[in-house]
Amino acid sequence: MEQTITQKILARAANRKFVNTGENVWLNVDVLLTHDVCGPPTFDIFNQEFGEGARVWDPEKVVVLPDHYIFTANEHAHRNIDLLRKFAKEQNLPNYYDVGTDRYRGVCHVALAEEGFNLPGTVLFGTDSHTCTSGAFGMFGSGIGNTDAAFILGTGKLWEKVPESMLFTFDGEMPEYLSAKDLILQILGDIGTDGATYRAMEFNGEAIHSLPMEERMTLTNMAIEGGGMNGIIAVDEITEAFVKSKTSKPYEIFTSDPGAAYFSKTRYNASEMEPVVAKPHSPDNRATVQSMKGTKITKSYIGSCTGGKLADFKLAAKILSGQRVSVPTNIVPATVKVARDLETELYNGKSLKSIFEDAGCSIALPSCAACLGGPTDTVGRSVDRDVVVSTTNRNFPGRMGSKQAEVYLASPLTAAASAITGKLTDPRNYL
Amino acid sequence: MESIIQGKAFVLGRNIDTDQIIPAEHLVYSLSDPEEVKLYGKFALSGVPLAQSGLPAGNIPFVQEGSFASDYTIIIAGQNFGCGSSREHAPFALQVAGVKAIIAESYARIFYRNCVDGGFVIPYETAIQLAETVKTGDELKIDIKANTVENLTSGETYQLNALGDVFNIVEAGGIFAYARKENLMAQS
């Protein structure tokens, strides 16, 4: 029987040759990810259910990356970090990246890639809905809650329903005025925020395989915005080069069989697509930037797991080089490594950092920051009736802080162009 | 497991995401300290824009000012309830507020799993657009064996989808209770 890449990876994890879509299977988990918001309650459930003194199933396979509420005076947030620290110590977890030390990394989904935890063919679960980001590496990544995570911590296993797959093919060449964010917002506008619920979203085509890994991660990151269980892109030379530069661990490459059954197949031609935004208050509320041009904004925000990678800042710098922003603009690198790279990566002979500083942007410390609002003292948090153009992944009511605020999701190119004019602006005006 | 769930309905629209169910700024409270846990009840559904809170009239707070629990025990909603983040704090907050069951047209996967595996609230699905007919404050009665919900205020009865595969986990009270029963807790 022919299978999709997602079926094959789940079959491997279930010690089977073949799994049917729709069947519930028990999977052996390769990596469990957690962070400061969901780690402490997960550890609580683990201790309660497996008993004091219980050991996690495999300390090497537990990755704890605090990233959500890091740079805040909120005492409860600090307590959560203390609880992570305590559990990591008790359980001797080698992959704990402590806050306030040189091990601190930043946003977990980007750090997983940097640290070599993303391995083709493996199964990753994480207590964060954007765990699907890792699917860019030809692996299965999916978000779960604390109870499921605690179950994995003790047993190394979890049940999952094998998903049907939706195939999205992008033909043609990627124009310089588009980013992967435009592609995924286009899809979300077509399928809606529940168009892929309980399904895999598989991406392929010439335009996808021309993208660097970080851009592919933007695409798989937002599979959850369509309700997807996972997003996935098959391995190619670009994937292998990235993985081999981070780790020497072995991995297995799976690909979809030519005759595999899909729930749906959709084709796009990247070279004919337009820059788009998702209007308030839903990631599927798509409109072309052209049709929204002139909409006044009060803030621009470039950051997060989906929009705060080096690739995102390279795009933003192309627009902001030699320009001045006219509204407050937050640059929030996802990780410490991205922050460092802003100092060394050059565009037209200038570092990205100095381009952003000269343009009048404020550069924040790496964390999730205002992508999800966070404690009231969080950098970039929306207030009152803010109208924000943001490279993040969600614009539900109140997502970035204020319930009255409006958020337009956009590519780093569009967020940068709009920062200059103070209005939603097509990036082609500056390219 | 009880066989009947009876209580007042609280009606919401579609795409109610987890930021509306429990806004991110509240995720810092402990889920085990009894005093702090109450705060999840207090802030449950506090992110829903007031105009959409308690349909069809709207402007009905789910939890009264100064209270830590809601008068409503059954949530009625449209499609894609619980979309967005993976926070288990969302079904937990609803449970703390006193919710026993949700009846929605569909759910986001992680929220649905969390409801079932955590044993917080029972997530029923129905093909009927109940959010169009049930009014906030109506008295509802869910018959768990028959998979029906009766609107005692209007006198109408509606069919709910069977829980199917997950019924055994719901009945056991969550994935841990189920796994113990089925002897699935051994380490791999």
Side-chain angles (χ1 to χ4, degrees):
Chain A
M1 285 290 282
E2 304 202 74
Q3 301 183 86
T4 63
I5 178 172
T6 299
Q7 279 174 281
K8 288 185 185 175
I9 293 169
L10 296 186
R12 172 196 161 269
N15 285 324
R16 303 251 301 266
K17 284 259 177 290
F18 179 84
V19 289
N20 263 313
T21 58
E23 74 171 312
N24 286 321
V25 290
W26 284 92
L27 304 171
N28 293 313
V29 178
D30 293 294
V31 173
L32 175 71
L33 161 74
T34 191
H35 52 50
D36 53 306
V37 169
C38 295
T42 297
F43 301 151
D44 253 4
I45 298 169
F46 170 81
N47 285 329
Q48 211 171 67
E49 297 290 344
F50 292 93
E52 294 293 335
R55 308 300 297 173
V56 303
W57 102 102
D58 188 341
E60 292 284 339
K61 294 180 174 177
V62 180
V63 182
V64 185
L65 283 156
D67 57 0
H68 275 58
Y69 305 155
I70 307 302
F71 304 106
T72 169
N74 186 296
E75 285 175 22
H76 287 127
H78 290 186
R79 182 183 58 188
N80 276 341
I81 305 295
D82 289 339
L83 290 168
L84 294 186
R85 208 168 271 153
K86 180 166 170 278
F87 190 81
K89 199 173 168 207
E90 281 167 8
Q91 295 284 339
N92 247 323
L93 301 181
N95 302 314
Y96 171 53
Y97 295 89
D98 202 2
V99 178
T101 73
D102 59 7
R103 284 186 55 79
Y104 176 68
R105 290 296 183 267
V107 179
C108 58
H109 312 295
V110 180
L112 277 181
E114 290 173 354
E115 297 300 312
F117 289 108
N118 287 344
L119 283 174
T122 57
V123 167
L124 162 78
F125 282 106
T127 61
D128 190 288
S129 60
H130 292 110
T131 305
C132 50
T133 310
S134 296
F137 291 79
M139 58 185 280
F140 178 88
S142 193
I144 50 170
N146 310 331
T147 300
D148 282 347
F151 192 89
I152 294 174
L153 265 186
T155 66
K157 288 183 163 68
L158 191 66
W159 70 272
E160 188 56 90
K161 183 180 287 217
V162 180
E164 289 188 283
S165 293
M166 300 168 82
L167 183 63
F168 300 92
T169 304
F170 287 86
D171 299 315
E173 207 174 308
M174 193 73 180
E176 62 160 353
Y177 51 83
L178 290 187
S179 89
K181 181 56 58 82
D182 296 293
L183 308 187
I184 190 67
L185 291 178
Q186 181 72 31
I187 292 175
L188 293 171
D190 289 342
I191 69 169
T193 53
D194 56 358
T197 299
Y198 260 99
R199 297 195 193 106
M201 293 173 74
E202 185 176 329
F203 308 96
N204 70 3
E206 184 191 344
I208 301 300
H209 287 283
S210 73
L211 296 173
M213 289 314 294
E214 289 190 345
E215 277 276 271
R216 298 181 195 188
M217 289 163 71
T218 298
L219 211 55
T220 48
N221 174 280
M222 290 184 70
I224 184 65
E225 266 51 78
M229 182 186 292
N230 64 314
I232 195 158
I233 300 170
V235 172
D236 61 13
E237 306 79 48
I238 294 175
T239 325
E240 290 210 78
F242 189 104
V243 171
K244 284 183 176 144
S245 74
K246 305 294 179 190
T247 178
S248 54
K249 288 183 209 149
Y251 54 85
E252 200 174 343
I253 295 173
F254 295 98
T255 51
S256 293
D257 292 323
Y262 284 88
F263 174 83
S264 63
K265 290 183 179 180
T266 314
R267 285 197 104 90
Y268 296 91
N269 190 329
S271 62
E272 291 167 2
M273 291 171 64
E274 292 256 322
V276 289
V277 292
K279 297 182 286 178
H281 292 282
S282 185
D284 63 355
N285 198 9
R286 182 193 66 212
T288 61
V289 179
Q290 264 314 315
S291 72
M292 297 305 295
K293 71 176 179 193
T295 305
K296 283 207 166 112
I297 58 163
T298 61
K299 253 181 201 164
S300 179
Y301 187 97
I302 306 178
S304 81
C305 51
T306 184
K309 298 171 264 83
L310 183 63
D312 300 298
F313 294 119
K314 282 189 195 170
L315 294 173
K318 271 205 312 207
I319 303 275
L320 289 171
S321 174
Q323 302 281 349
R324 289 285 299 174
V325 298
S326 67
V327 292
T329 300
N330 292 105
I331 300 283
V332 191
T335 62
V336 172
K337 180 175 187 313
V338 174
R340 268 203 311 264
D341 289 347
L342 293 185
E343 295 176 27
T344 53
E345 181 74 25
L346 304 181
Y347 180 73
N348 282 346
K350 274 177 77 176
S351 76
L352 301 193
K353 188 174 180 221
S354 57
I355 289 172
F356 296 141
E357 281 171 350
D358 292 351
C361 308
S362 21
I363 302 178
L365 294 167
S367 80
C368 297
C371 171
L372 75 165
T376 46
D377 59 352
T378 303
V379 168
R381 196 176 195 273
S382 69
V383 291
D384 304 328
R385 298 192 171 277
D386 259 342
V387 181
V388 189
V389 61
S390 176
T391 66
T392 55
N393 40 34
R394 291 192 176 130
N395 59 347
F396 298 123
R399 169 71 179 180
M400 293 188 78
S402 166
K403 251 206 271 190
Q404 286 78 42
E406 298 193 326
V407 178
Y408 289 84
L409 303 179
S411 79
L413 295 163
T414 302
S418 306
I420 297 168
T421 60
K423 300 169 195 147
L424 288 182
T425 300
D426 194 309
R428 283 172 286 195
N429 297 357
Y430 291 94
L431 286 167
Chain B
M1 183 169 153
E2 345 167 46
S3 56
I4 297 286
I5 295 172
Q6 188 173 329
K8 281 200 177 77
F10 194 78
V11 182
L12 294 163
R14 64 195 295 259
N15 294 330
I16 300 296
D17 79 289
T18 55
D19 278 282
Q20 295 182 63
I21 298 171
I22 184 77
E25 66 199 88
H26 302 305
L27 302 180
V28 293
Y29 316 132
S30 164
L31 282 84
S32 49
D33 177 272
E35 279 308 302
E36 272 182 55
V37 159
K38 288 185 188 168
L39 295 170
Y40 284 104
K42 180 182 166 84
F43 294 112
L45 290 175
S46 64
V48 178
L50 207 51
Q52 279 100 56
S53 181
L55 297 175
N59 294 301
I60 303 172
F62 178 63
V63 178
Q64 292 298 327
E65 187 71 37
S67 176
F68 293 90
S70 175
D71 297 334
Y72 306 95
T73 46
I74 299 172
I75 306 269
I76 301 290
Q79 295 161 22
N80 205 24
F81 191 82
C83 60
S85 91
S86 67
R87 65 190 69 160
E88 194 161 298
H89 311 64
F92 180 76
L94 294 176
Q95 183 194 41
V96 173
V99 173
K100 302 272 186 225
I102 306 165
I103 305 174
E105 286 170 55
S106 63
Y107 295 88
R109 164 184 162 268
I110 307 176
F111 181 85
Y112 184 82
R113 282 189 76 105
N114 287 345
C115 286
V116 170
D117 284 355
F120 300 111
V121 291
I122 307 181
Y124 279 105
E125 284 187 328
T126 177
I128 305 157
Q129 294 178 313
L130 283 184
E132 307 292 319
T133 57
V134 176
K135 295 181 175 60
T136 293
D138 284 0
E139 186 77 8
L140 303 183
K141 185 176 163 187
I142 297 172
D143 183 326
I144 287 173
K145 283 210 178 71
N147 289 316
T148 56
V149 59
E150 186 182 353
N151 186 338
L152 300 173
T153 307
S154 73
E156 287 171 277
T157 299
Y158 307 93
Q159 192 64 43
L160 306 175
N161 296 355
L163 290 168
D165 286 349
V166 302
F167 178 81
N168 292 334
I169 302 177
V170 170
E171 192 186 29
I175 192 176
F176 281 102
Y178 172 75
R180 277 201 191 88
K181 224 167 92 182
E182 301 288 321
N183 207 13
L184 295 167
M185 296 273 281
Q187 296 213 345
S188 56

